[in-house]
Amino acid sequence: MIDKKGIVTIAGAGPGDPELLTLKVLKRLQDANVVLHDSLISKEILKLVPDDAETVNVGKRCGDGQDQEKRQERINAMMIGYALEGKYCVRLKAGDPFVFGRGVEEVRALMEKGIEAEVIPGITAGLAAANMLQIPVTERNRTSSLLFCTGHTASYSFEQFQGVLALLREGSPVVMYMGMKNFETIVNRLLDAHLPVSLQVSIVSKVSLCDQKVITGMLETIGDVIREQDIETPVVFFIGEHTLPVKELFSTSTGFLNTSEKEELQ
């Protein structure tokens, strides 16, 4: 075991299921003096932290009213403070630290103070959902590119939005994070751009957890389907020509599937 005093590990916890946590992250949690974790980290994963380690929830939730820049500055200061005290700090982030996770900002803050930073990847929710639901986001001779984006797509410039449209038109799927608030606006922009009304959409709520939900539909009608369902965040959206699950794991009448229904079909 290496001496980790004064080191900060920025680790990806994956989408939520503790069995999707990497062995390396598990080892780091067991060695930690303090764990600074996101609010989306599951209780099952937090139970893996030793009882004598300090755990601090530094996460944000949608609509919590926090100034996110100041919040990030506080997290950076906490990591630096613990490291300078000679403690081993694990910054545990949902998904993957470098996929819409501000991981690089935290690395830079540590480097500026001369503090060693280790980064351990995690399974990002978009790839976890694609695998678990067998959504073919890439496939030989069919789909050769893939776009990850956030709900900020709703306010993309004309040039940025044209890039998204070009990928969708040539068959590349879009995997979108943090898009629930702006999803209706995004759908309307895509329809206004004359994308096919039958373009496939899959929406996955609470990826990998026991209450995971899946909604599927077409671009023209998905907004109505969403309004009829109670969808809990976090949510990942799949939009594109090949974004329905390979297996028919959804109800043909409602386009809705909960985890228990899925298990009965398997």
Side-chain angles (χ1 to χ4, degrees):
M1 181 185 298
I2 63 172
D3 183 6
K4 301 187 186 71
K5 291 182 179 179
I7 295 175
V8 175
T9 293
I10 300 171
D17 181 350
E19 292 187 347
L20 295 179
L21 198 72
T22 66
L23 289 174
K24 179 172 271 191
V25 173
L26 175 60
K27 291 177 182 178
R28 297 299 189 263
L29 289 176
Q30 293 172 339
D31 290 339
N33 299 124
V34 59
V35 176
L36 307 179
H37 66 87
D38 287 350
S39 59
L40 293 176
I41 303 300
S42 67
K43 294 179 181 179
E44 291 76 13
I45 289 177
L46 291 176
K47 288 179 181 178
L48 301 173
V49 180
D51 292 338
D52 59 352
E54 181 181 359
T55 59
V56 184
N57 185 343
V58 296
K60 67 174 181 177
R61 295 306 298 262
C62 182
D64 62 11
Q66 292 189 41
D67 182 311
Q68 299 310 323
E69 294 306 318
K70 291 182 179 179
R71 169 188 162 274
Q72 188 62 56
E73 290 173 3
R74 289 195 297 271
I75 295 172
N76 294 347
M78 292 175 72
M79 292 189 300
I80 292 166
Y82 283 119
L84 293 178
E85 290 174 12
K87 295 181 178 180
Y88 176 44
C89 176
V90 174
R91 172 71 174 102
L92 190 62
K93 304 175 77 69
D96 181 274
F98 272 44
V99 179
F100 308 123
R102 294 198 172 195
V104 69
E105 296 179 33
E106 296 177 357
V107 169
R108 290 187 185 120
L110 294 167
M111 291 179 64
E112 288 173 358
K113 299 297 182 180
I115 296 169
E116 183 177 348
E118 174 190 42
V119 179
I120 303 176
I123 302 174
T124 186
L127 293 181
N131 281 271
M132 296 178 72
L133 296 168
Q134 301 166 17
I135 297 173
V137 288
T138 63
E139 186 174 359
R140 181 167 54 93
N141 298 328
R142 198 176 193 187
T143 309
S144 59
S145 62
L146 171 66
L147 174 64
F148 285 84
C149 66
T150 73
H152 299 301
T153 307
S155 56
Y156 272 2
S157 68
F158 176 81
E159 289 77 14
Q160 288 176 305
F161 197 67
Q162 289 302 306
V164 174
L165 292 175
L167 286 172
L168 284 168
R169 284 172 175 146
E170 64 88 23
S172 296
V174 167
V175 181
M176 185 172 63
Y177 294 65
M178 299 172 283
M180 181 60 77
K181 180 180 178 181
N182 295 322
F183 189 67
E184 191 167 349
T185 300
I186 293 166
V187 168
N188 288 335
R189 286 195 74 180
L190 295 175
L191 290 171
D192 289 344
H194 305 295
L195 286 180
V197 295
S198 60
L199 196 67
Q200 298 169 356
V201 180
S202 291
I203 303 172
V204 189
S205 165
K206 306 185 81 170
V207 177
S208 83
L209 300 179
C210 62
D211 52 351
Q212 171 181 286
K213 293 180 181 179
V214 184
I215 291 174
T216 63
M218 299 184 299
L219 192 64
E220 184 180 38
T221 58
I222 194 65
D224 294 332
V225 175
I226 289 174
R227 283 188 287 272
E228 295 172 357
Q229 303 292 343
D230 181 21
I231 305 175
E232 295 185 60
T233 57
V235 176
V236 179
F237 299 82
F238 295 84
I239 306 171
E241 186 179 349
H242 308 294
T243 57
L244 294 186
V246 171
K247 293 183 179 180
E248 294 186 357
L249 300 181
F250 51 91
S251 165
T252 55
S253 60
T254 63
F256 172 76
L257 171 76
N258 62 34
T259 302
S260 60
E261 290 171 339
K262 178 180 68 176
E263 290 171 349
E264 290 175 1
L265 287 171
Q266 288 180 326

